[in-house]
Amino acid sequence: MTANTPDTFAGAVEAFKSASPWLGASDMPALVTLNKLAELLDNGDLTPALVAQFGLTFRSLAKLAPATDDAPDPLEKALREAKGA
């Protein structure tokens, strides 16, 4: 990993939170879970169950990111075009 890349689970969580301004108070339970899982994983408890739960929790938070215009949802695009027609 490079000097600017987190090499711990906790570091990766912090980088994710810094890059995720859409996360708010309603996401705190999942963020706390993600932090605690990162702490356990960084302390050497690399059981498959914990790694899987970390991944699930991370993906559930990442899916909350607002859609960007760079990659519009095909269904949304079709609906917008249909309304305009």
Side-chain angles (χ1 to χ4, degrees):
M1 300 207 153
T2 66
N4 295 330
T5 304
D7 60 353
T8 63
F9 286 96
V13 169
E14 289 306 313
F16 171 69
K17 290 190 311 188
S18 294
S20 305
W22 64 85
L23 296 173
S26 64
D27 303 309
M28 287 309 295
L31 288 168
V32 169
T33 299
L34 195 63
N35 282 322
K36 291 299 182 183
L37 290 168
E39 182 181 320
L40 290 170
L41 291 166
D42 284 339
N43 287 329
D45 192 0
L46 295 170
T47 62
L50 282 178
V51 173
Q53 190 59 51
F54 181 89
L56 287 171
T57 306
F58 170 78
R59 284 189 300 278
S60 72
L61 288 168
K63 286 180 184 178
L64 298 175
T68 62
D69 291 335
D70 297 341
D73 178 42
L75 177 58
E76 183 179 338
K77 181 181 175 186
L79 290 171
R80 272 189 268 136
E81 290 172 356
K83 285 182 182 179

